[in-house]
């Protein structure tokens, strides 16, 4: 199975290169818009047809190199095939590159790219992560992009073949939640308190901005949102990395809630408050899936219903087993432990049962009727 990853690399161009980069983006966008115009008038999104009609014009009118012209046509064809993008205007913010017009030079961490008038070696500002990913690689495609603040980036596409998932020795059960973002069946716990505390701190600032409603308040609001989501993503990376490392060390599979169930989690009443949280939850689940795939670790999706009210020792299922959000005490056998830990144990047990039947691929959404019949209220009181 192929895994495609995009590594975002900041460029550090000279002033001269900057002008060239800008000119390239302008020419590329103009070429795209020209091609789109032709495509619409011809009622065709066929690459060969458009290449035949537009190629010479793109070379002469916009001064694009052969391969940039081809990339522009390819982009237009791909975009116009999507009905909602049929009438889109191409912005001056990005251009596509393939192996003939783009290469990566490892010894000084530069990208060689064909620009409008020249081929340039562009210096980069790379972090440890980017360097680690790019080491020893010969990427074959990339996108040049410019952000609103004027910074240039290269989005480098790396394609890998995922290892076949190894037959696991055991299963790690992971309970995903809102208060505790993740809890494993051995009791390791990743609390959401740190993120929540920062969110609260921003909360008042956010409300003031929302009320003010001026342009600068809106900008500020956007900054806060970005900061919050960056922090959440950071936390989710940390948790998923830890879980993957744990599974790798012990040769285990990971059992956790299937994605289909996540939409049910958020009740209408709490929808506003929980939107970001629900999204964060989904993100963590997605991180676990793709990182596991990359490492050849099996993910067993399980149906999480009743995992938090069933006793992991005797199997007794009763709502009152869960005394509070945090405490689980079985009313039949008296088994007591933190509620999320108990749920993780149940998920592990289900994962062990299901693994031989269910593959590493998530099942599609559950029957929507079933979903609405049994709403689960996890955000406040737990499922
Ligand atoms: Zn019990």
């Amino acid at each position: 199975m192929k895994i495609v990853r995009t590594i975002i690399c900041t460029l550090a161009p000279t002033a001269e290169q900057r002008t060239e980069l800008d000119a390239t983006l302008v020419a590329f966008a103009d070429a795209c818009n020209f091609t789109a115009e032709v495509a619409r008038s011809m009622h065709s999104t066929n690459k060969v047809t458009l290449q035949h009609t537009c190629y010479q014009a793109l070379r002469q009118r916009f001064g694009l190199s052969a391969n940039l012209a081809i990339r522009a046509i390819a982009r237009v064809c791909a975009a116009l095939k999507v009905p909602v993008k049929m009438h889109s205007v191409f912005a001056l913010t990005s251009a596509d590159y393939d192996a003939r017009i783009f290469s990566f030079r490892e010894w000084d961490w530069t990208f060689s790219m064909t620009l409008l008038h020249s081929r340039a070696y562009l210096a980069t500002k790379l972090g440890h992560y980017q360097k680690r990913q790019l080491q020893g690689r010969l990427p074959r495609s990339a996108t040049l992009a410019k952000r609103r603040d004027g910074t240039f980036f290269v989005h480098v596409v790396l394609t890998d073949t995922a290892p076949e998932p190894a037959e696991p020795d055991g299963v790690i059960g992971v309970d995903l939640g809102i208060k505790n973002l993740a809890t494993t069946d051995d009791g390791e716990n990743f609390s959401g308190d740190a993120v929540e505390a920062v969110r609260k701190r921003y909360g008042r600032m956010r409300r003031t901005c929302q009320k003010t409603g001026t342009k600068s308040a809106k900008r500020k609001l956007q900054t806060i949102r970005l900061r919050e989501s960056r922090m959440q993503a950071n936390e989710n990376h940390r948790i998923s990395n830890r879980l993957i490392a744990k599974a790798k060390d012990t040769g285990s599979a990971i059992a956790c809630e299937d994605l289909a169930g996540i939409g049910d989690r958020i009740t209408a009443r709490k929808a506003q408050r929980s939107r970001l949280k629900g999204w964060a939850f989904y993100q963590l689940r997605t991180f676990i899936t793709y990182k596991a795939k990359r490492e050849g670790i099996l993910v067993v999706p399980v149906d999480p219903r009743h995992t938090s009210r069933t006793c992991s020792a005797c199997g007794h299922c009763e709502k009152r087993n869960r005394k509070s959000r945090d405490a689980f005490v079985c009313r039949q056998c008296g088994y007591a432990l933190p509620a999320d830990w108990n749920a993780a144990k149940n998920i592990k047990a289900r994962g062990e049962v299901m693994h031989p039947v269910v593959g590493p691929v998530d099942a599609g959404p559950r029957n929507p009727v079933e979903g609405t019949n049994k709403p689960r209220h996890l955000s406040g009181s737990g499922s």
Side-chain angles (χ1 to χ4, degrees), residues 127-197:
H128 293 303
Y129 172 77
Q130 281 93 341
K131 287 188 177 173
R132 218 170 40 234
Q133 298 304 320
L134 288 171
Q135 225 153 31
R137 303 297 299 258
L138 293 169
R140 305 191 51 79
S141 101
T143 303
L144 168 67
K146 185 186 186 184
R147 270 194 208 155
R148 227 183 286 172
D149 64 2
T151 323
F152 288 99
F153 291 87
V154 174
H155 296 205
V156 182
V157 178
L158 295 178
T159 313
D160 295 291
T161 310
E164 280 297 311
E167 197 47 43
D169 284 336
V171 175
I172 296 177
V174 182
D175 179 57
L176 301 175
I178 303 289
K179 177 133 190 304
N180 289 316
L181 299 171
T183 309
T184 59
D185 65 80
D186 60 0
E188 188 173 2
N189 178 29
F190 302 89
S191 153
D193 290 350
V195 180
E196 193 54 31

Side-chain angles (χ1 to χ4, degrees), residues 311 313-316 330 332-335:
C311 173
C314 73
H316 175 64
C330 178
Q332 188 159 292
C333 74
Y335 187 57

Side-chain angles (χ1 to χ4, degrees), residues 72-382:
I73 295 167
R75 178 185 280 202
V76 170
C77 290
L80 296 195
K81 281 195 175 112
V82 184
V84 292
K85 290 189 179 166
M86 189 65 213
H87 297 286
S88 54
V89 175
F90 295 85
L92 317 171
T93 47
S94 69
D96 301 329
Y97 279 79
D98 60 30
R100 296 190 193 184
I101 44 180
F102 162 83
S103 69
F104 163 60
R105 192 164 74 178
E106 191 175 323
W107 65 267
D108 61 349
W109 303 104
T110 53
F111 293 122
S112 158
M113 301 178 87
T114 300
L115 301 178
L116 197 55
H117 306 104
S118 59
R119 177 123 181 168
Y121 277 103
L122 295 148
T124 52
K125 280 188 267 186
L126 300 181
H128 293 303
Y129 172 77
Q130 281 93 341
K131 287 188 177 173
R132 218 170 40 234
Q133 298 304 320
L134 288 171
Q135 225 153 31
R137 303 297 299 258
L138 293 169
R140 305 191 51 79
S141 101
T143 303
L144 168 67
K146 185 186 186 184
R147 270 194 208 155
R148 227 183 286 172
D149 64 2
T151 323
F152 288 99
F153 291 87
V154 174
H155 296 205
V156 182
V157 178
L158 295 178
T159 313
D160 295 291
T161 310
E164 280 297 311
E167 197 47 43
D169 284 336
V171 175
I172 296 177
V174 182
D175 179 57
L176 301 175
I178 303 289
K179 177 133 190 304
N180 289 316
L181 299 171
T183 309
T184 59
D185 65 80
D186 60 0
E188 188 173 2
N189 178 29
F190 302 89
S191 153
D193 290 350
V195 180
E196 193 54 31
V198 177
R199 191 170 295 143
K200 274 203 181 116
R201 209 163 61 218
Y202 283 131
R204 222 178 58 171
M205 216 194 289
R206 196 176 330 122
R207 275 192 296 279
T208 321
C209 291
Q210 267 158 353
K211 240 181 252 162
T212 318
T214 60
K215 211 170 184 181
S216 80
K218 273 183 191 152
R219 245 198 321 270
K220 179 136 195 213
L221 199 60
Q222 183 62 13
T223 314
I224 294 172
R225 282 204 183 113
L226 280 177
R227 200 172 297 166
E228 279 185 0
S229 65
R230 262 204 306 273
M231 192 176 58
Q232 183 74 63
N234 213 28
E235 194 66 7
N236 283 342
H237 275 303
R238 193 179 68 84
I239 297 171
S240 51
N241 287 344
R242 172 77 191 116
L243 293 174
I244 296 298
K246 202 166 185 164
K248 211 174 175 189
D249 287 350
T250 54
S252 304
I254 294 176
C256 58
E257 176 164 343
D258 55 358
L259 277 172
I262 287 172
D264 306 349
R265 269 172 179 271
I266 293 151
T267 60
R269 189 163 53 85
K270 287 175 179 160
Q272 278 297 352
R273 182 150 58 95
S274 301
R275 194 176 298 149
L276 182 69
K277 292 179 185 176
W279 166 83
F281 183 89
Y282 182 85
Q283 185 186 50
L284 175 56
R285 181 65 179 79
T286 314
F287 283 1
I288 294 173
T289 309
Y290 89 77
K291 288 179 185 179
K293 199 189 276 177
R294 203 164 66 191
E295 300 291 335
I297 293 165
L298 191 69
V299 173
V300 187
V302 304
D303 182 345
R305 271 175 289 182
H306 305 307
T307 46
S308 67
R309 55 179 66 162
T310 303
C311 173
S312 59
C314 73
H316 175 64
C317 175
E318 187 182 338
K319 195 174 179 186
R320 284 181 299 166
N321 277 349
R322 187 154 181 184
K323 295 192 67 113
S324 65
R325 213 223 70 81
D326 293 324
F328 182 93
V329 180
C330 178
R331 292 181 59 88
Q332 188 159 292
C333 74
Y335 187 57
L337 77 173
D340 291 338
W341 187 359
N342 176 64
K345 283 176 178 246
N346 285 327
I347 287 172
K348 174 195 171 86
R350 285 188 193 183
E352 282 169 344
V353 174
M354 284 170 76
H355 163 55
V357 192
V358 181
V361 183
D362 268 357
R366 270 201 301 277
N367 183 352
V369 177
E370 191 187 353
T372 45
N373 278 346
K374 295 177 182 170
R376 283 173 299 117
H377 303 267
L378 194 121
S379 44
S381 57

